Amino acid sequence: MGIDTAANGALIDADGNASQMLYTLGTPRKGNLWETTAVPEIRVQAGNLAQELLKPLNPKPDATTFMLKKPVMLFRQLFDKESSTYTYLIADPESKTAILIDPVLEQVERDLQILQQLGLTLSYCVETHIHADHITGTDRLRTLTGCLGILPENAAANCADHYIADGNILELGNVQIRAIATPGHTDSHMAYLVNDTHLLTGDALFIRGCGRTDFQSGDAESLYDAVTQKLFTLPDDTLVYPGHDYQGQTVSTIGEEKRWNPRFAGRSRNQFIELMKNLNLPQPKKMLEAVPANQHCGRVLVALDYQI
């Protein structure tokens, strides 16, 4: 009447072994199914046979396959339009503790709102350097949240709760932030490598550019050495997040900057120094206001003129 088949439609040979290659459905299966010619029955067999044939391509998942891994860190890039400054919010999702890198005074309310919305407690405000183009929000945030202010070692300021040195690691639950001394834009500048994947370069390295070196004890030789001998030795897929961007760019990689950054790609040390010497850039608009304030972690000093 038909062919002997297994329950999955595989053909059975004379020795009773089910084939791993030959299957059938419908009328040939009358040998053991008897009634198997109606369309509804064949439709069910076709569906079952399709699943059987797809099994080698879809191995049964183990118990962990569908468990979604929790993110190791929360990472947000925030922007101040007036100064083109990026502030970075980094948090440990488990402990709900957070760090702000390079906060801006005018954006303190924004930062507080994000912290509140995400249920985060601010532990630290960390600076890459003493800024000349904006006033930091560290002192204001320290007053409002009780967080600690951290500055690079040897920064021209005595307001920090802690100073961070080259190679120091700041831990926040599952988040590790390693300080990398990158002097040149200023004489006390730090980049921060977060969990070995996200590099916050401050003003040492921009996307297709770098910070200037003509004030605040800046030094082009030191900047070239810091970028090429420290930052450019990191893996090419390390993400680069700068302290500023003026073209709307948000992220790059070490590999991209090594190849395409016009300040460094194909330039010798002497060529870089000569280039930086001849930029002739105007001073930052807020420099006279920002530097003194940032030497006090963003505390604005008001001079009172008493007239008698």
Side-chain angles (χ1 to χ4, degrees), residues 124-141:
Y124 304 105
C125 283
V126 183
E127 305 289 349
T128 54
H129 62 292
I130 301 296
H131 307 279
D133 47 16
H134 71 273
I135 297 175
T136 177
T138 290
D139 187 67
R140 181 68 175 153
L141 287 162

Side-chain angles (χ1 to χ4, degrees), residues 136-173:
T136 177
T138 290
D139 187 67
R140 181 68 175 153
L141 287 162
R142 187 165 54 182
T143 300
L144 294 172
T145 68
C147 70
L148 301 178
I150 298 180
L151 285 173
E153 185 181 46
N154 300 321
N158 57 7
C159 60
D161 297 293
H162 296 289
Y163 293 89
I164 192 166
D166 183 41
N168 286 173
I169 295 178
L170 188 63
E171 292 190 354
L172 204 68

Side-chain angles (χ1 to χ4, degrees), residues 5-303:
T5 58
N8 61 0
L11 275 60
I12 296 177
D13 64 17
D15 296 323
N17 299 314
S19 174
Q20 301 296 314
M21 297 178 60
L22 299 176
Y23 299 81
T24 189
L25 51 74
T27 302
R29 296 197 64 184
K30 287 180 66 176
N32 59 351
L33 294 182
W34 293 81
E35 294 294 335
T36 180
T37 58
V39 171
E41 293 173 334
I42 296 176
R43 183 187 300 121
V44 172
Q45 291 179 39
N48 292 338
L49 181 54
Q51 293 182 20
E52 184 71 24
L53 297 176
L54 288 172
K55 279 183 180 179
L57 303 179
N58 297 280
K60 186 177 180 180
D62 58 35
T64 61
T65 299
F66 295 108
M67 291 177 63
L68 297 178
K69 290 184 178 180
K70 293 183 178 180
V72 176
M73 67 174 171
L74 181 151
F75 186 90
R76 295 286 187 275
Q77 183 184 50
L78 309 171
F79 188 63
D80 175 63
K81 186 175 181 180
E82 182 181 356
S83 62
S84 297
T85 297
Y86 283 123
T87 296
Y88 295 96
L89 170 64
I90 303 163
D92 173 47
E94 292 187 8
S95 65
K96 295 290 185 179
T97 49
I99 295 174
L100 281 170
I101 308 286
D102 289 343
V104 176
L105 180 60
E106 289 80 4
Q107 299 295 343
V108 164
E109 294 303 319
R110 174 204 64 189
D111 298 343
L112 290 173
Q113 184 179 46
I114 293 174
L115 289 165
Q116 188 273 328
Q117 290 174 348
L118 298 178
L120 302 174
T121 299
L122 185 62
S123 296
Y124 304 105
C125 283
V126 183
E127 305 289 349
T128 54
H129 62 292
I130 301 296
H131 307 279
D133 47 16
H134 71 273
I135 297 175
T136 177
T138 290
D139 187 67
R140 181 68 175 153
L141 287 162
R142 187 165 54 182
T143 300
L144 294 172
T145 68
C147 70
L148 301 178
I150 298 180
L151 285 173
E153 185 181 46
N154 300 321
N158 57 7
C159 60
D161 297 293
H162 296 289
Y163 293 89
I164 192 166
D166 183 41
N168 286 173
I169 295 178
L170 188 63
E171 292 190 354
L172 204 68
N174 292 315
V175 179
Q176 284 194 342
I177 301 176
R178 177 162 63 92
I180 303 175
T182 46
H185 172 64
T186 66
D187 57 358
S188 58
H189 187 287
M190 289 288 176
Y192 298 105
L193 182 61
V194 186
N195 282 359
D196 294 324
T197 57
H198 294 55
L199 179 66
L200 312 186
T201 54
D203 286 25
L205 179 66
F206 293 155
I207 298 175
R208 311 300 192 263
C210 66
R212 57 197 294 176
T213 58
D214 57 341
F215 59 76
Q216 287 184 277
S217 302
D219 181 74
E221 298 179 25
S222 298
L223 182 59
Y224 184 87
D225 292 343
V227 171
T228 59
Q229 296 177 22
K230 290 187 175 182
L231 302 187
F232 281 179
T233 61
L234 295 171
D236 281 356
D237 60 355
T238 303
L239 297 172
V240 171
Y241 288 95
H244 299 280
D245 190 85
Y246 308 96
Q247 308 297 327
Q249 302 166 113
T250 57
V251 62
S252 181
T253 66
I254 287 295
E256 284 183 45
E257 295 311 309
K258 285 163 62 174
R259 184 177 181 185
W260 298 112
N261 193 310
R263 296 280 176 92
F264 298 97
R267 289 189 187 274
S268 67
R269 193 170 186 264
N270 288 336
Q271 289 173 330
F272 176 81
I273 294 168
E274 190 66 22
L275 170 70
M276 299 303 289
K277 186 189 301 182
N278 294 294
L279 290 179
N280 297 319
L281 298 172
Q283 285 194 350
K285 295 178 181 179
K286 283 191 173 183
M287 183 173 177
L288 296 180
E289 175 188 4
V291 171
N294 290 333
Q295 289 174 334
H296 294 81
C297 293
R299 187 178 305 159
V300 180
L301 305 178
V302 179

